Amino acid sequence: MGRVVVDVMPKPEILDPQGKAIAGALPRLGFKNFINVRQGKRFELEVDGDVTEAVIAEVRDAAIKLLSNPVIEDVVSVRNATVEEATNV
Amino acid sequence: MGRVVVDVMPKPEILDPQGKAIAGALPRLGFKNFINVRQGKRFELEVDGDVTEAVIAEVRDAAIKLLSNPVIEDVVSVRNATVEEATNV
């Protein structure tokens, strides 16, 4: 049973009020090193079976049709996460 | 100027209605291979300077204090994304 991760971010030219709110809050909490924040979405899709190239292609299709709004968002990454993670926290 | 990516996901034991809605919509759109979907958040923080270990530690702190709600969410990844991405779409 595999897992595919999809990352969706607002397009660079689109205003991101959530990101702006976070960027404003960071210095008030003492975090001074950050000049900009953008907030997007991360999806984890559990696959019935192995993550093949065909499955990745299907997820890429679903990411554009369902998981993102192509007018305001970019699908920045579609990747096999079956082994990834747990290593980099 | 570096960039740090933070991934936040709902805890496994927490119901995720957005993910459930997506999991329900996928087969209606012809995507049959998926048994579960969870939706989380992805943040990109632009750093004023290089991404050092100290900056990563600061982001990890900010991720727990501001970017996630520890009652219902896990910070699953905090990583330097200065070079990453653009490679895996």
Side-chain angles (χ1 to χ4, degrees):
Chain A
M1 205 167 65
R3 201 149 49 94
V4 179
V5 168
V6 176
D7 290 324
V8 172
M9 294 299 293
K11 283 182 190 287
E13 66 271 25
I14 298 286
L15 184 70
D16 170 17
Q18 290 177 301
K20 284 269 173 290
I22 294 164
L26 283 169
R28 291 199 298 274
L29 290 171
F31 303 107
K32 308 281 191 195
N33 284 323
F34 308 99
I35 48 181
N36 196 21
V37 178
R38 292 188 74 77
Q39 177 174 346
K41 289 181 267 185
R42 175 193 157 99
F43 301 91
E44 290 184 3
L45 287 80
E46 241 174 76
V47 179
D48 188 12
D50 285 337
V51 179
T52 60
E53 265 308 305
V55 169
I56 293 281
E58 199 183 349
V59 173
R60 206 168 282 145
D61 194 18
I64 289 163
K65 285 191 184 150
L66 180 65
L67 305 180
S68 70
N69 175 351
V71 177
I72 57 167
E73 292 170 327
D74 286 325
V75 178
V76 296
S77 165
V78 175
R79 63 191 187 279
N80 184 348
T82 311
V83 283
E84 192 196 288
E85 267 103 57
T87 51
N88 49 8
V89 173
Chain B
M1 205 166 65
R3 200 150 49 94
V4 178
V5 168
V6 176
D7 289 324
V8 172
M9 294 299 293
K11 283 181 191 287
E13 66 270 25
I14 297 286
L15 184 70
D16 170 17
Q18 291 178 301
K20 284 268 172 288
I22 294 164
L26 281 170
R28 291 198 297 274
L29 290 172
F31 304 107
K32 308 281 189 194
N33 284 322
F34 308 100
I35 48 181
N36 195 21
V37 178
R38 294 187 73 78
Q39 177 174 347
K41 289 181 267 185
R42 175 193 157 100
F43 302 91
E44 290 184 3
L45 288 80
E46 241 175 78
V47 179
D48 188 12
D50 285 338
V51 179
T52 59
E53 264 309 305
V55 168
I56 292 282
E58 199 181 351
V59 173
R60 205 167 283 144
D61 193 19
I64 290 163
K65 285 191 185 151
L66 180 65
L67 304 180
S68 70
N69 176 350
V71 177
I72 58 167
E73 292 170 327
D74 286 325
V75 177
V76 295
S77 164
V78 175
R79 63 190 187 281
N80 185 348
T82 311
V83 282
E84 193 196 289
E85 268 104 56
T87 51
N88 49 9
V89 174

